[in-house]
Amino acid sequence: MSVAVDMKALFEAGVHFGHKTSRWHPKMAPYIHSKRQDSHIIDLAKTVEALDKALPFITKTVASGKKVLFVGTKKQAKDIVKAAAESAGQPFVVNRWIGGMLTNVTTTNAQIKKLRDLERRMDNGDLEKRYNKLEVQRYQEEIDSLNFKYGGIKELNGKPGALIVLDMLVDKNAIAEAENLGIPVVAIADTNADPSKVEYPIPGNDDAIKGLQLLLDYFVAAVNEGKTKKEEK
């Protein structure tokens, strides 16, 4: 049974509020319902339609055994993106998108291997045995720095099956790398974004935390449904 989308809930969460009309992208025209004062109003019927396509895709991706990478690096969304990804057992990037994170696999894998090795040596006491307190502290700082950059993708193991992106402009580099590798992207497309840049644009407000949380809840539900289907197989 696919995830059911509630248009009333989308409305109450303010998902329909777009940006100022002066900041719009012409390719968002089919998804705009009207103007209110100097801002665009998104057509929530189109949002529901888009979610009804994207959510089964997420479910199918996870059911096939692939991971879905959650990306949300803008300040106000970091915490809820991380919480959503962790609750679904999926990888995430919330601090900064490192150039080549997906396309330069050699460098990314080397950094993750280094992080895991340092964490293992810190946990088993090897670093403490070999080095003085100041040196151990420096190793801990290196671990913290690597976790800041790569901690959310430590368990990714290869290419993700899809990306979920909360802001198409802020995380355009992530979308570009996914496109380069042929990885489908589900992204919230506000009225200032180009929806043609991704396979599954979801017309919606990319700033309101309540709206973002609701959309994340739908994405997580789709992931969990995929995990259930995988177990049933």
Side-chain angles (χ1 to χ4, degrees), residues 26 50 63 86 97 102 109 124 130 142 148 194 205-206 217:
E86 287 180 335
W97 185 268
L102 292 177
N109 286 349
N124 67 20
R130 292 172 179 267
E142 187 173 7
F148 183 83
D194 179 356
N205 184 334
D206 63 12
D217 289 345

Side-chain angles (χ1 to χ4, degrees), residues 64-79:
S64 72
K66 295 175 182 174
K67 295 277 190 182
V68 174
L69 177 59
F70 285 69
V71 182
T73 65
K74 69 179 178 184
K75 191 176 180 181
Q76 67 266 42
K78 287 180 183 183
D79 291 344

Side-chain angles (χ1 to χ4, degrees), residues 28-29 68 81 86 131 193 228:
M28 281 299 293
V68 174
V81 174
E86 287 180 335
Y131 302 99
T228 300

Side-chain angles (χ1 to χ4, degrees), residues 6-18:
D6 184 348
M7 190 189 292
K8 185 182 176 186
L10 292 171
F11 179 80
E12 289 173 350
V15 174
H16 58 300
F17 291 120

